[in-house]
Structure formats: C-alpha cells, structure tokens
Amino acid sequence: MLGFENFKLKEDEKLIVKKQVSYVKNILVFPQPNPGNLSITDKRIVFEPTQGRSGSAFMYELNEIDFFTVGMMNTITIVTKNGEKYKLTGLFNKALIKGLEDVNIKREK
C-alpha cells in the first residue's frame, strides 16, 4: 500500500494540489467509499487511502490519464488510457478539477 506518509515529491516534481477525497470503489455491486488524499503534481496523480482497503491506492503518470468527467455534485471520474475508472467524491473537488485542468488533463462531458 502507498501510505500517506510515504508520498514524497520527486526531485524535479511540483505539487499542484492535494485534497481529501473518497475514492468510491465497487466491491461486487456495492459502492464502498475509501477516504484518502489525492495529490496532483506536474507529473502524476496519486491517491493514498487513510482508511479502508489498502488496495484502493493508485498512482498514474499524467501521460497515462486519458480524460476526466465531472458528474453531479462535482463528482470526478478519472479515466486512464487503459480504461480504468476512478470515481472521487469530496468537499474539495472544485480545487481538484482546477488542478486537473492546470496539468492539461482533458475534461469530457
């Protein structure tokens, strides 16, 4: 598991935004929120759970992200180029939306 305390910026990396979110991961057919922190840097996106399943952690280089969408109540879904989807809810999603746009991840409707 990527522990929150283990996330460190690389030497040539700049933090764009870091906020608390819940990554909603379906277990069988039931949605399970996994609270954690989402960090967007100028090179990658990292989610580190603070509670819940350690298997909910993820990290992608920006060039591995295809696009993101924004749903009701600013729910963000990040879609990777290999088709993985990550649904994120939280109070700070407007800042995360801006962060994704700032690192040139395209927003689809």
Side-chain angles (χ1 to χ4, degrees):
M1 172 175 135
L2 295 168
F4 173 70
E5 63 281 356
N6 293 332
F7 174 72
K8 290 185 173 66
L9 291 172
K10 296 177 182 178
E11 187 174 313
D12 61 342
E13 188 173 32
K14 177 184 170 194
L15 182 66
I16 305 300
V17 65
K18 180 179 192 172
K19 296 292 180 189
Q20 294 178 339
V21 297
S22 272
Y23 163 38
V24 181
K25 185 174 183 179
N26 285 337
I27 305 298
L28 300 174
V29 294
F30 302 102
Q32 177 185 1
N34 293 278
N37 294 292
L38 186 77
S39 299
I40 300 171
T41 76
D42 61 341
K43 302 204 179 295
R44 59 193 171 136
I45 294 174
V46 180
F47 174 77
E48 297 180 287
T50 53
Q51 311 175 29
R53 298 181 181 271
S54 62
S56 64
F58 64 85
M59 178 180 66
Y60 287 96
E61 299 294 322
L62 294 181
N63 64 3
E64 296 177 289
I65 304 297
D66 194 13
F67 63 90
F68 75 98
T69 62
V70 179
M72 292 178 56
M73 302 193 53
N74 289 325
T75 298
I76 299 169
T77 301
I78 295 172
V79 181
T80 67
K81 290 183 178 173
N82 67 6
E84 297 287 329
K85 294 182 180 180
Y86 298 90
K87 183 177 179 181
L88 306 166
T89 64
L91 297 174
F92 304 106
N93 279 8
K94 286 184 181 180
L96 293 171
I97 291 166
K98 182 179 180 328
L100 289 166
E101 291 171 339
D102 288 349
V103 296
N104 299 314
I105 301 296
K106 68 182 174 183
R107 178 175 174 174
E108 291 198 353
K109 299 195 183 215

